[in-house]
C-alpha cells in the first residue's frame, strides 16, 4: 500500500547527490577507526534506527522530482553503519519506489557500500538483477585488514568479508573495493595493491583515515601525510607497469580526467562542496557525510523538500568552507588544479578541531602524489589526443 506523498514542485538549480543511511549508524562490525558509530549519541531516545516506509518513499520521490529539468540519471547511495542490516525486503521496496517515481527515460543507479559480512546468494542475486554497484571494504590481506576491522566479539573480519566478495563475484555483481589507509597499513601500498589484484579486484578506491582528537590534533590511527603520499605513489608505480586499462584506481582516473579539463568525479577534489548531502534514518538531512554534527543539520525531509534544504543558510554557508580554506593555503600550490584543497573535514588544527583556517592535514601527501603523477598525466593526455590508449604513455614522456 502506498502512502499519500505530496508532489515536489520546486526543482534544484543543479544536480545534487544524497547519501542515504537506512539503518543510521548501526553496524555489525566494530572497526576501531569508524567515525560513524558514535552518531547514535544524537538520538539518545532511539533504539530502532530503521528508516520507515513514509520517510523512504518521501526521500525517493523528492530526490527524483527535485532534480533539474533534463536530468537523465539519478544515483542513490546506500551506506551506514551497515546498510544490509536493514534487510533485503527494504531494498526490494527501494527498487519498486524508484521505478514508480522515475521520469520517463531517466536512469536510476544504486550504489551500496557494505562490509560484506551479510552478503549471501540471495543478496547477490538481487544486487545483480537490479544492477547495484557494490563497494566492499577490505584493508589489505588478513593481517592488515584484521588489525582494525573487528567483529563485535573482537575477532578479525577478513574471512567473512572475503566470503562476501567471492559471493558477489560468483553472481557477477559489479563490485569495487574501498581500502582505508591508516597508520597500520599505510607503509604497505604495493603489498595491498598486489593482494587486491590476487582477489580479482579491478576497481579500487583508497580513503585516508584522519581522525580529529581533542587536544592532540589527530589520533594515532590516522595515516601520516608522508605515509599517504608514499602509499599512493607506490600503488601508482605498481599500477602503471602492467595494469593501465585493466585495473581502475579512482585517484588516478580522476586525476587524468581533471588534467584533461573534466570536472572532478569525486567531491574530495572538486573546487567546492555543498551538493553531496546525507539523510539519516529518520529523515534528518545534514550538509555532508563527514559533517553529521548538530550545527550542520539543515532540516528534515518530512518537513521540507530537497530544493528548500539545499538553499538553507546553513548549507549555503557550508558550501563556502572549501573555497575559503583553499584561498588561505593553496593559492600558490602547483598542484591546486588537481587537488583543490581536498576534503574540508581533514582541515584539523593543533587542538583537534575541524577548522576552515587550518591547513589540510594531508597537504604534503597530496602534493607528493600529484607531483609524481603530473608527467604521466601529461603523457597519457597526449595519447588520448592522438586516439591512443593511455598505456602507450611512455612514447610521450619528457626526457629531461
Amino acid at each position: 500500500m502506498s502512502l499519500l506523498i505530496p508532489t515536489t514542485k520546486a526543482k534544484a538549480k543543479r544536480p545534487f547527490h544524497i547519501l542515504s543511511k537506512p539503518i543510521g549508524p548501526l553496524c555489525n562490525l566494530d572497526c576501531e577507526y569508524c567515525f560513524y558509530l558514535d552518531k547514535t549519541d544524537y538520538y539518545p531516545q532511539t533504539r530502532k534506527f530503521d528508516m520507515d516506509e513514509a520517510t523512504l518513499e518521501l526521500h525517493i520521490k523528492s530526490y527524483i522530482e527535485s532534480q533539474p529539468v533534463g536530468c537523465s540519471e539519478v544515483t542513490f547511495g546506500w551506506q551506514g553503519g551497515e546498510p544490509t542490516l536493514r534487510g533485503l525486503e527494504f531494498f526490494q521496496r527501494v527498487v519498486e519506489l524508484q521505478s514508480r517515481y522515475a521520469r520517463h527515460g531517466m536512469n536510476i543507479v544504486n550504489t551500496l557500500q557494505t562490509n560484506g559480512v551479510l552478503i549471501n546468494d540471495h543478496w547477490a542475486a538481487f544486487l545483480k538483477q537490479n544492477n547495484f554497484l557494490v563497494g566492499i571494504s577490505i584493508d589489505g590481506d588478513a593481517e592488515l585488514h584484521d588489525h582494525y576491522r573487528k567483529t563485535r566479539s573482537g575477532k578479525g573480519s577478513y574471512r567473512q568479508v572475503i566470503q562476501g566478495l567471492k559471493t558477489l563475484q560468483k553472481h557477477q555483481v559489479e563490485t569495487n573495493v574501498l581500502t582505508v589507509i591508516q597508520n597500520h597499513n599505510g607503509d604497505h601500498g604495493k603489498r595491498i595493491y598486489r593482494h587486491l589484484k590476487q582477489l580479482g579486484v579491478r576497481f579500487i578506491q583508497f580513503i585516508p583515515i584522519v581522525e580529529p582528537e581533542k587536544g592532540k590534533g589527530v589520533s594515532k590511527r590516522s595515516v601520516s601525510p608522508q605515509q599517504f603520499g608514499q602509499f599512493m605513489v607506490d600503488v601508482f608505480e605498481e599500477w602503471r607497469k602492467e595494469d593501465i586499462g585493466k585495473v581502475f584506481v579512482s585517484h588516478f582516473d580522476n586525476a587524468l580526467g581533471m588534467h584533461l579539463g573534466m570536472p572532478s568525479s569525486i567531491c574530495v577534489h572538486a573546487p567546492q562542496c555543498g551538493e553531496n548531502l546525507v539523510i539519516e534514518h529518520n529523515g534528518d538531512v545534514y550538509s555532508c557525510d563527514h559533517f553529521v554534527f548538530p550545527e550542520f543539520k539543515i532540516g528534515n525531509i518530512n518537513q521540507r523538500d530537497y530544493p528548500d534544504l539545499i538553499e538553507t543558510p546553513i548549507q549555503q554557508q557550508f558550501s563556502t568552507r572549501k573555497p575559503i580554506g583553499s584561498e588561505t593555503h593553496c593559492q600558490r600550490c602547483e598542484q591546486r588544479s588537481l587537488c583543490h584543497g581536498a576534503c574540508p573535514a581533514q582541515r584539523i588544527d593543533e587542538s583537534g578541531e575541524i577548522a576552515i583556517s587550518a591547513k589540510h592535514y594531508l597537504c604534503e601527501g597530496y602534493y607528493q602524489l600529484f607531483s609524481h603523477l603530473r608527467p604521466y598525466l601529461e603523457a597519457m593526455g597526449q595519447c588520448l589526443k592522438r586516439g591512443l590508449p593511455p598505456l602507450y604513455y611512455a612514447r610521450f614522456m619528457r626526457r629531461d
Side-chain angles (χ1 to χ4, degrees):
M1 180 178 70
S2 176
L3 302 172
L4 183 61
I5 303 295
T7 299
T8 301
K9 296 180 180 180
K11 305 294 184 188
K13 296 176 182 178
R14 297 173 299 278
F16 63 97
H17 181 256
I18 304 286
L19 188 62
S20 312
K21 305 279 185 172
I23 197 70
L26 299 189
C27 190
N28 50 352
L29 294 185
D30 192 19
C31 304
E32 289 187 36
Y33 55 64
C34 183
F35 70 95
Y36 225 82
L37 295 179
D38 63 356
K39 300 305 179 185
T40 54
D41 295 344
Y42 293 164
Y43 305 96
Q45 306 304 319
T46 301
R47 294 185 178 182
K48 187 177 182 181
F49 286 81
D50 294 9
M51 180 178 285
D52 63 30
E53 172 83 6
T55 301
L56 174 66
E57 185 165 0
L58 188 56
H59 163 54
I60 289 175
K61 180 178 175 62
S62 181
Y63 186 27
I64 291 174
E65 291 187 350
S66 298
Q67 298 295 337
V69 174
C71 179
S72 60
E73 183 171 285
V74 177
T75 298
F76 284 81
W78 305 95
Q79 199 165 312
E82 174 49 45
T84 58
L85 287 173
R86 190 60 183 84
L88 185 55
E89 289 185 1
F90 174 86
F91 287 96
Q92 291 170 335
R93 182 62 173 155
V94 164
V95 172
E96 292 174 5
L97 291 170
Q98 290 171 339
S99 178
R100 176 184 302 168
Y101 291 116
R103 301 174 193 167
H104 179 71
M106 176 179 278
N107 184 37
I108 301 294
V109 177
N110 284 287
T111 67
L112 179 77
Q113 184 62 41
T114 177
N115 56 40
V117 171
L118 295 181
I119 297 297
N120 55 26
D121 287 319
H122 294 296
W123 266 105
F126 166 80
L127 295 168
K128 174 61 178 179
Q129 180 181 359
N130 293 282
N131 301 312
F132 273 63
L133 169 61
V134 179
I136 190 166
S137 298
I138 305 174
D139 284 1
D141 53 42
E143 188 275 323
L144 294 175
H145 176 95
D146 285 345
H147 187 79
Y148 285 132
R149 297 190 66 82
K150 308 283 190 183
T151 65
R152 288 288 175 178
S153 62
K155 297 180 180 179
S157 62
Y158 179 82
R159 181 184 59 80
Q160 295 166 279
V161 173
I162 297 305
Q163 182 59 49
L165 174 65
K166 289 181 178 178
T167 302
L168 292 169
Q169 292 172 332
K170 181 179 72 172
H171 286 266
Q172 298 181 324
V173 177
E174 188 175 356
T175 307
N176 66 43
V177 162
L178 187 153
T179 296
V180 168
I181 313 172
Q182 18 80 3
N183 71 321
H184 181 72
N185 69 3
D187 295 325
H188 303 288
K190 290 183 179 180
R191 172 177 163 183
I192 290 174
Y193 180 74
R194 290 170 180 171
H195 182 70
L196 295 180
K197 280 183 59 179
Q198 290 172 359
L199 292 173
V201 175
R202 293 296 175 263
F203 296 89
I204 307 171
Q205 301 178 62
F206 291 106
I207 307 294
I209 277 290
V210 179
E211 298 177 309
E213 188 167 330
K214 294 280 180 72
K216 297 182 180 179
V218 301
S219 73
K220 293 182 179 179
R221 288 186 292 263
S222 300
V223 64
S224 74
Q226 295 75 24
Q227 278 184 310
F228 174 66
Q230 193 60 52
F231 182 104
M232 293 305 303
V233 168
D234 289 346
V235 170
F236 179 79
E237 286 300 307
E238 282 292 297
W239 172 78
R240 75 176 180 88
K241 291 177 183 177
E242 57 184 26
D243 294 331
I244 297 174
K246 300 176 183 177
V247 177
F248 301 89
V249 180
S250 61
H251 266 95
F252 309 152
D253 289 347
N254 188 66
L256 179 57
M258 292 183 72
H259 177 77
L260 295 173
M262 301 175 188
S264 177
S265 60
I266 52 179
C267 62
V268 171
H269 297 301
Q272 189 166 329
C273 298
E275 294 173 357
N276 290 279
L277 290 72
V278 59
I279 182 171
E280 289 291 336
H281 65 288
N282 67 340
D284 285 346
V285 180
Y286 291 84
S287 294
C288 170
D289 185 33
H290 292 279
F291 287 86
V292 177
F293 305 114
E295 61 267 35
F296 294 103
K297 178 182 171 181
I298 60 176
N300 188 291
I301 191 60
N302 292 291
Q303 299 165 356
R304 304 177 72 175
D305 286 331
Y306 284 124
D308 290 339
L309 292 169
I310 292 173
E311 296 300 323
T312 57
I314 293 175
Q315 189 64 6
Q316 291 303 300
Q317 185 177 13
F318 175 79
S319 69
T320 67
R321 293 177 67 91
K322 189 168 188 175
I324 290 174
S326 297
E327 284 300 315
T328 303
H329 295 283
C330 309
Q331 273 192 342
R332 300 180 182 178
C333 180
E334 297 173 353
Q335 307 308 330
R336 182 176 183 179
S337 63
L338 294 179
C339 181
H340 288 295
C343 181
Q346 295 173 345
R347 290 189 177 275
I348 301 168
D349 64 21
E350 294 180 356
S351 64
E353 297 288 343
I354 298 174
I356 299 177
S357 59
K359 181 180 178 182
H360 196 281
Y361 173 74
L362 293 176
C363 178
E364 287 81 2
Y366 278 117
Y367 185 86
Q368 179 183 0
L369 168 62
F370 292 128
S371 296
H372 187 84
L373 292 188
R374 279 288 184 184
Y376 297 98
L377 299 178
E378 178 63 34
M380 291 178 185
Q382 291 297 324
C383 287
L384 293 172
K385 289 176 183 178
R386 290 166 170 78
L388 297 172
L391 61 89
Y392 293 108
Y393 72 89
R395 300 182 184 183
F396 303 99
M397 288 292 291
R398 292 178 58 182
R399 310 296 180 184
D400 295 330

